């Protein structure tokens, strides 16, 4: 397989650390996501996402080759779907997509990626009123390391996905996201700020969104709302301080 570019044709495609279905899930590709092929090993492709530069291995059957001109056409005017679920029909039949997949931003009912034609079979949801309200629509989504969807999501994937709908591109990991924006004094915090948390070993290992100065929404076991203070996150359900605050940042 002598490929250079491709797009994710599956609804959700796992990206793994190594060339093995039992290997660690490091992230996911969502439908329409463009990738560059870096290496080929048997059925596995080492890919780099055009959207956030993240790398890993995925099964070649879940992506489809594109020529360079087709890549440019697909990137032109690309947007992120905010609806919880959309039903499309394509070359391989009907397909259910979950929010976060990539589609043209012109609102058309049909589109094509390369030589593959698709059409929507149901209407999209109303656009979310605000980032805060949109984040709450993920409440109780289960935690999944490397996940990026309502079916399973991790803390940094959660932040990346909700901001992407509002046209702000965050890197994939919390340790990268902390480099974005400006540091805010704790007393000046407000809804919409990002809070980052530090491990005992000194690594940035968690991130969440302030929904007001004293509450945070984050993915920890599941997407949840907990109390927030200068010490960090206080878990309401069992009265435990679960994460130690590193910084508050504003994008």
């Amino acid at each position: 397989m002598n490929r250079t570019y491709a797009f994710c044709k599956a609804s959700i495609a796992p990206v793994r650390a190594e060339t093995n279905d039992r290997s660690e899930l490091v992230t996911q590709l969502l439908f329409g996501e463009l990738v560059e092929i870096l290496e080929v090993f048997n059925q596995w492709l080492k890919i780099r996402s055009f959207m956030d530069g993240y790398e890993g291995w995925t099964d070649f059957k879940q992506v489809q080759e594109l020529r360079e001109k087709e890549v440019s056409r697909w990137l032109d005017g690309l947007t992120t779907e905010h609806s919880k679920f959309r039903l499309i029909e394509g070359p391989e039949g009907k397909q259910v997509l979950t929010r976060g997949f990539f589609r043209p931003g012109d609102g058309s009912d049909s589109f094509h990626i390369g030589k593959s034609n698709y059409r929507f079979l149901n209407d999209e949801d109303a656009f979310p009123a605000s980032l805060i309200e949109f984040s709450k629509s993920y409440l109780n989504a289960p935690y999944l390391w490397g996940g990026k969807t309502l079916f399973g999501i991790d803390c940094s994937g959660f932040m990346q996905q909700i901001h992407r709908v509002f046209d702000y591109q965050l890197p994939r990991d919390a340790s990268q996201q902390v480099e974005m924006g400006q540091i805010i004094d704790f007393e000046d915090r407000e809804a919409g700020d990002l809070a980052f948390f530090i491990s005992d070993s000194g690594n940035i290992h968690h991130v969440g969104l302030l929904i007001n100065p004293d509450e945070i929404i984050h993915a920890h076991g599941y997407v949840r709302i907990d109390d927030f203070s200068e010490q960090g996150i206080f878990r309401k359900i069992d009265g435990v301080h679960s994460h130690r605050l590193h910084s508050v940042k504003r994008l």
Side-chain angles (χ1 to χ4, degrees):
M1 271 183 324
N2 187 22
R3 300 182 182 178
T4 305
Y5 305 104
F7 75 95
C8 177
K9 66 177 184 178
S11 300
I12 307 165
V15 179
R16 301 192 179 277
E18 299 176 2
T19 55
N20 190 307
D21 282 317
R22 291 169 293 186
S23 176
E24 174 190 5
L25 178 71
V26 294
T27 191
Q28 293 172 318
L29 300 177
L30 302 185
F31 177 86
E33 187 161 354
L34 286 168
V35 299
E36 181 182 1
I37 308 301
L38 305 176
E39 191 176 336
V40 180
F41 180 78
N42 295 331
Q43 74 186 60
W44 295 92
L45 304 177
K46 187 174 185 181
I47 58 91
R48 178 190 295 125
S49 170
F50 271 61
M51 284 44 185
D52 58 22
Y54 219 69
E55 296 182 10
W57 294 89
T58 196
D59 191 316
F60 81 92
K61 296 185 288 297
Q62 297 182 325
V63 300
Q64 184 167 316
E65 182 180 2
L66 286 178
R67 295 178 299 176
E68 190 168 357
K69 287 184 178 179
E70 295 170 333
V71 169
S72 298
R73 293 191 191 103
W74 181 235
L75 282 172
D76 186 26
L78 203 60
T79 191
T80 305
E81 179 62 50
H82 63 273
S83 303
K84 283 189 175 180
F85 303 105
R86 295 299 299 274
L87 179 65
I88 65 169
E89 188 168 35
E92 298 174 27
K94 294 179 180 178
Q95 189 173 359
V96 177
L97 306 181
T98 184
R99 70 160 54 131
F101 72 87
F102 296 89
R103 54 161 295 180
D106 58 8
S108 58
D109 292 331
S110 60
F111 61 95
H112 67 275
I113 314 176
K115 297 181 176 61
S116 298
N117 295 310
Y118 298 92
R119 66 186 181 98
F120 289 107
L121 300 180
N122 65 333
D123 295 330
E124 64 181 325
D125 300 340
F127 195 81
S130 69
L131 178 67
I132 304 299
E133 290 308 307
F134 187 57
S135 71
K136 291 178 181 178
S137 68
Y138 280 83
L139 279 170
N140 295 308
Y143 183 88
L144 175 66
W145 178 272
K148 291 168 62 174
T149 77
L150 288 163
F151 302 112
I153 199 162
D154 63 23
C155 66
S156 56
F158 180 31
M159 294 300 102
Q160 186 187 59
Q161 290 302 105
I162 61 174
H163 283 85
R164 185 173 276 167
V165 166
F166 290 85
D167 294 325
Y168 199 101
Q169 300 298 323
L170 289 178
R172 180 61 180 87
D173 291 338
S175 60
Q176 300 168 317
Q177 293 173 2
V178 74
E179 302 298 327
M180 310 293 287
Q182 65 180 95
I183 295 178
I184 300 299
D185 289 337
F186 185 80
E187 295 76 15
D188 297 327
R189 70 196 185 282
E190 61 184 39
D193 291 339
L194 291 177
F196 294 90
F197 303 88
I198 192 166
S199 68
D200 291 339
S201 59
N203 298 317
I204 303 299
H205 70 127
H206 194 66
V207 60
L209 178 77
L210 298 189
I211 60 171
N212 62 57
D214 301 313
E215 288 186 308
I216 187 168
I217 187 168
H218 63 128
H220 181 57
Y222 52 91
V223 175
R224 55 194 293 153
I225 295 173
D226 284 311
D227 290 337
F228 176 73
S229 71
E230 197 163 6
Q231 285 68 49
I233 295 176
F234 182 76
R235 256 191 342 238
K236 295 179 179 181
I237 194 168
D238 54 9
V240 171
H241 282 96
S242 61
H243 296 81
R244 180 159 56 97
L245 182 65
H246 172 268
S247 57
V248 177
K249 309 219 49 184
R250 187 167 299 160
L251 301 177

